[in-house]
């Protein structure tokens, strides 16, 4: 009898254990616990890409400390292959662009402590009309694994009409997901079907990120008919989508991003010359707030000091990489003074962070500098209205909060130029990261540990505090942002009624 009880128990445990661990895990393949970071050549180079450019970029990512900030994927986009497969049906790299083949590039990138990404399409051809992987998924996944690829960006052109409802698209992308898993190599899977068939509703179980829009372009808010939609529900995603266009598309679906699978707002345009410094700060901040991947898209070796000091702001990156993995949401949007493109709006974005902090951003897409205000009731609206009701403890709005400005420690140009020119040890201090206010090394200390010990480079500058039930205000420049980390003040809370 005892034997039967034991074996029935064992059978039950064996049956439910895999299920339990699957339910408890946050990522279908163990990757993307936080949004991926890295560099992709498309925004800066388009098809003009080769091994030398990739390797020079990778080396500069190391030299400039970008790898150690977390930018660890070097991603080769479209246009890398021959127009024909080999006799055994494999994809072949273009020998002029990659004289030593792809594996040699991957090996060298790995030797720099970086990871290597590639690109294909879930169609007959890629978008630039090179060969795609539709119908060749297992063979191509194995080729990528054999080359040492760590990341696949998988596009949607020439898909033979296999879209139009979620299940058809799911199946087409899942075929590659399974093929990648079958190789046994951990390969980050970045879906690029521009939001067609609502991947945020179904991709979490088989991809690590999914694009939500047509291609970004280097403009803050200029409309373009080639990016015709302004909502997520978009039959023609197109390209030339502005920063504000894409922010508008993610707003209703932010909560679909989660550890293991993220909404991808497309690679960054920071540094490409089409926007003002304030616009690039707003762009970078918002990508961090909503937990888009942070994939740099500029010419790294030639980047300027101001580009560097945006992309290398550790206090903002710490928001993106926060271990809680909770994207910011838009609390409100209000009309602002319109600009030449009639896109004026102001908005408040809030997210909760690990350890009890919050991040907030006031985004001014209006045409003039503006004093913006957010009450603590606005900021903590979810705490007051979501679940818990009668058993809920004191609301966060009834505490006092310290306000840390996440851009106030932005690196000065002298320091940034010193790093870019290879003098990273100017005065012997710049790259001394243990107590720097501007430089951080996440290879040495993970962001979660840095936050845990209140590393000064991650906290920004404490500029003021707000009283219980108070209001936070800031003068936010035209097309700019104010981005803060809020930290609860100990012992500052509203008095209870009987103490008044
Ligand atoms: C687009 C994709 C871009 C880039 C391009 C290459 O479809 O959205 O990010 O990869 O193809 O041809």
């Amino acid at each position: 009898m005892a034997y039967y009880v034991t074996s029935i128990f064992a059978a039950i445990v064996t049956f439910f254990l895999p299920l339990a661990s699957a339910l408890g895990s946050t990522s279908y393949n163990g990757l993307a616990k936080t949004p991926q970071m890295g560099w992709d050549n498309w925004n800066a180079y388009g098809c003009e890409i080769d091994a030398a450019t990739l390797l020079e970029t990778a080396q500069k990512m190391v030299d400039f400390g970008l790898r150690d900030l977390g930018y660890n994927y070097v991603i080769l986009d479209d246009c890398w292959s021959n127009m024909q497969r080999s006799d055994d049906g494999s994809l072949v790299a273009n020998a002029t662009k990659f004289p030593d083949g792809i594996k040699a590039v991957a090996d060298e990138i790995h030797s720099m402590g970086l990871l290597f990404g590639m690109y294909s399409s879930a169609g007959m051809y890629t978008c630039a009309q090179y060969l795609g992987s539709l119908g060749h998924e297992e063979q191509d996944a194995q080729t990528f694994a054999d080359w040492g690829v760590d990341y696949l960006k998988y596009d949607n052109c020439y898909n033979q009409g296999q879209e139009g409802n979620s299940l058809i698209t799911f199946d087409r992308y899942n075929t590659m997901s399974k093929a990648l898993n079958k190789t046994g190599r951990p390969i980050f899977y970045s879906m690029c079907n521009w939001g067609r068939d609502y991947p945020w509703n179904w991709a979490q179980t088989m991809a690590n990120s999914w694009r939500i829009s047509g291609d970004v372009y280097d403009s803050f808010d200029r409309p373009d008919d080639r990016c015709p939609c302004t909502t997520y529900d978009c039959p023609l995603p197109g390209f030339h989508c502005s920063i504000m266009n894409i922010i508008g598309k993610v707003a209703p679906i932010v909560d679909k991003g989660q550890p293991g699978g993220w909404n991808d707002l497309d690679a960054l345009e920071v540094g490409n010359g089409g926007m003002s410094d304030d616009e690039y700060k707003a762009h970078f901040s918002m990508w961090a707030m909503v937990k888009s991947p942070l994939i740099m898209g500029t010419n790294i070796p030639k980047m300027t000091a101001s580009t560097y000091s945006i992309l290398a702001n550790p206090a903002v990156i710490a928001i993106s990489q926060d271990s809680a993995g909770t994207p910011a949401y838009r609390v409100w949007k209000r009309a602002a003074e319109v600009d030449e493109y009639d896109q004026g709006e102001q908005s408040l974005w809030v997210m909760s962070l690990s350890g009890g902090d919050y991040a907030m951003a006031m985004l001014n897409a209006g045409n003039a500098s503006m004093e913006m205000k957010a009450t603590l009731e606005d900021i903590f609206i979810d705490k007051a209205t979501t679940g818990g009701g009668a058993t809920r403890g004191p609301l966060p709005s009834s505490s006092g909060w310290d306000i840390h400005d996440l851009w106030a420690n932005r690196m000065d140009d002298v320091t940034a130029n010193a790093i870019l020119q290879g003098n990273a040890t100017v005065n012997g201090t710049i790259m001394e990261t243990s107590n720097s206010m501007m430089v951080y090394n996440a290879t040495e200390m993970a962001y979660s540990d840095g936050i845990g010990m209140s590393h000064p480079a991650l906290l920004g500058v404490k500029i003021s505090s707000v009283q219980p039930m108070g209001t936070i205000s800031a003068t936010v420049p035209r097309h700019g942002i104010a981005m803060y980390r809020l930290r609860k003040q100990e012992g500052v809370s509203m008095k209870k009624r009987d103490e008044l």
Side-chain angles (χ1 to χ4, degrees):
M1 176 68 183
Y3 168 80
Y4 285 115
V5 172
T6 317
S7 49
I8 288 168
F9 179 72
I12 292 171
V13 169
T14 322
F15 181 77
F16 282 107
L17 247 190
L19 187 62
S21 61
L23 289 175
S25 73
T26 51
S27 166
Y28 80 100
N29 61 357
L31 302 173
K33 294 287 171 59
T34 56
Q36 69 268 36
M37 295 176 65
W39 174 82
D40 176 292
N41 68 272
W42 185 254
N43 287 355
Y45 296 87
C47 278
E48 302 298 312
I49 189 67
D50 55 21
T53 309
L54 286 178
L55 294 176
E56 188 195 2
T57 302
Q59 188 58 55
K60 293 296 183 195
M61 285 166 67
V62 176
D63 297 347
F64 297 166
L66 293 165
R67 177 197 63 186
D68 290 332
L69 279 163
Y71 293 101
N72 58 356
Y73 286 106
V74 178
I75 303 159
L76 165 60
D77 210 285
D78 203 350
C79 312
W80 58 267
S81 76
N82 270 350
M83 294 300 187
Q84 281 183 335
R85 289 176 177 265
S86 67
D87 290 345
D88 73 357
S90 306
L91 288 170
V92 182
N94 179 298
T96 311
K97 294 175 179 172
F98 298 94
D100 301 322
I102 299 285
K103 185 166 187 319
V105 174
D107 288 348
E108 236 181 291
I109 284 175
H110 291 151
S111 75
M112 298 179 203
L114 290 159
L115 297 165
F116 178 58
M118 285 195 73
Y119 165 100
S120 187
S121 179
M124 290 284 282
Y125 306 103
T126 71
C127 295
Q129 299 183 343
Y130 291 77
L131 295 175
S133 293
L134 188 66
H136 300 267
E137 289 86 352
E138 287 205 2
Q139 182 167 20
D140 291 356
Q142 193 56 52
T143 300
F144 295 139
D146 293 345
W147 285 344
V149 170
D150 308 293
Y151 183 113
L152 181 68
K153 172 175 172 180
Y154 203 40
D155 216 331
N156 191 35
C157 283
Y158 302 100
N159 62 28
Q160 305 287 85
Q162 293 183 41
E163 66 177 355
N165 77 51
S166 297
L167 189 54
I168 291 174
T169 301
F170 177 92
D171 286 345
R172 181 164 48 95
Y173 277 88
N174 196 29
T175 306
M176 180 53 95
S177 175
K178 285 193 198 145
L180 293 172
N181 288 343
K182 198 173 162 195
T183 68
R185 184 177 176 84
I187 299 180
F188 192 110
Y189 187 34
S190 158
M191 274 181 56
C192 177
N193 79 325
W194 324 305
R196 290 302 317 270
D197 298 326
Y198 319 112
W200 47 85
N201 284 335
W202 45 258
Q204 291 86 348
T205 54
M206 58 90 159
N208 298 119
S209 64
W210 47 86
R211 281 270 300 277
I212 63 148
S213 75
D215 291 10
V216 67
Y217 86 140
D218 192 10
S219 166
F220 188 71
D221 66 352
R222 186 188 179 104
D224 189 311
D225 278 349
R226 288 163 292 179
C227 177
C229 306
T230 53
T231 78
Y232 65 88
D233 192 3
C234 181
L236 187 57
F239 60 106
H240 276 203
C241 301
S242 71
I243 301 308
M244 287 308 298
N245 174 286
I246 297 176
I247 289 173
K249 283 172 178 158
V250 81
I253 56 169
V254 282
D255 58 319
K256 307 294 186 176
Q258 59 183 50
W262 305 103
N263 287 313
D264 179 355
L265 278 60
D266 206 350
L268 296 158
E269 291 284 4
V270 178
N272 288 338
M275 290 186 240
S276 70
D277 193 66
D278 280 329
E279 291 171 339
Y280 279 140
K281 276 169 65 181
H283 166 28
F284 186 64
S285 302
M286 286 306 302
W287 263 227
M289 287 290 288
V290 300
K291 297 206 175 275
S292 172
L294 297 180
I295 303 293
M296 300 179 290
T298 196
N299 181 328
I300 301 289
K302 292 207 172 120
M303 79 202 305
T304 62
S306 56
T307 297
Y308 181 74
S309 61
I310 292 175
L311 294 171
N313 180 339
V316 171
I317 297 173
I319 301 300
S320 152
Q321 298 298 300
D322 184 81
S323 58
T326 312
Y329 55 92
R330 189 165 66 189
V331 181
W332 47 251
K333 176 177 85 156
R334 294 175 186 153
E337 185 182 335
V338 296
D339 70 3
E340 59 191 309
Y341 300 128
D342 203 21
Q343 299 281 303
E345 66 186 47
Q346 297 178 333
S347 51
L348 170 66
W349 299 74
V350 171
M351 74 209 282
S352 59
L353 300 167
S354 56
D357 289 354
Y358 282 77
M360 62 171 281
M362 293 190 283
L363 174 65
N364 177 14
N367 198 27
S369 163
M370 193 57 99
E371 185 174 6
M372 291 184 67
K373 291 181 197 296
T375 66
L376 288 189
E377 278 179 292
D378 283 346
I379 293 167
F380 298 118
I381 184 70
D382 274 21
K383 287 287 173 194
T385 55
T386 312
T391 57
R392 189 186 293 130
L395 290 172
S397 48
S398 62
S399 293
W401 293 82
D402 287 335
I403 304 170
H404 294 256
D405 184 339
L406 300 182
W407 282 103
N409 263 344
R410 179 178 176 182
M411 187 179 284
D412 58 278
D413 283 357
V414 172
T415 309
N417 273 320
I419 292 173
L420 295 175
Q421 284 155 23
N423 299 323
T425 52
V426 163
N427 303 330
T429 57
I430 290 176
M431 292 308 260
E432 174 50 63
T433 59
S434 57
N435 57 6
S436 169
M437 295 201 303
M438 297 180 294
V439 179
Y440 191 76
N441 185 329
T443 309
E444 282 172 4
M445 187 186 288
Y447 283 103
S448 51
D449 294 334
I451 287 296
M453 53 91 63
S454 296
H455 192 291
L458 304 186
L459 287 193
V461 176
K462 185 183 155 191
I463 51 163
S464 60
S465 55
V466 57
Q467 294 304 303
M469 303 307 288
T471 298
I472 296 175
S473 61
T475 303
V476 187
R478 169 187 187 269
H479 292 187
I481 200 161
M483 185 175 177
Y484 301 139
R485 177 184 281 264
L486 304 182
R487 186 161 274 193
K488 199 176 191 167
Q489 292 181 322
E490 290 310 321
V492 181
S493 56
M494 284 207 322
K495 293 196 166 34
K496 292 196 202 100
R497 184 172 288 275
D498 55 4
E499 291 172 345
L500 291 172

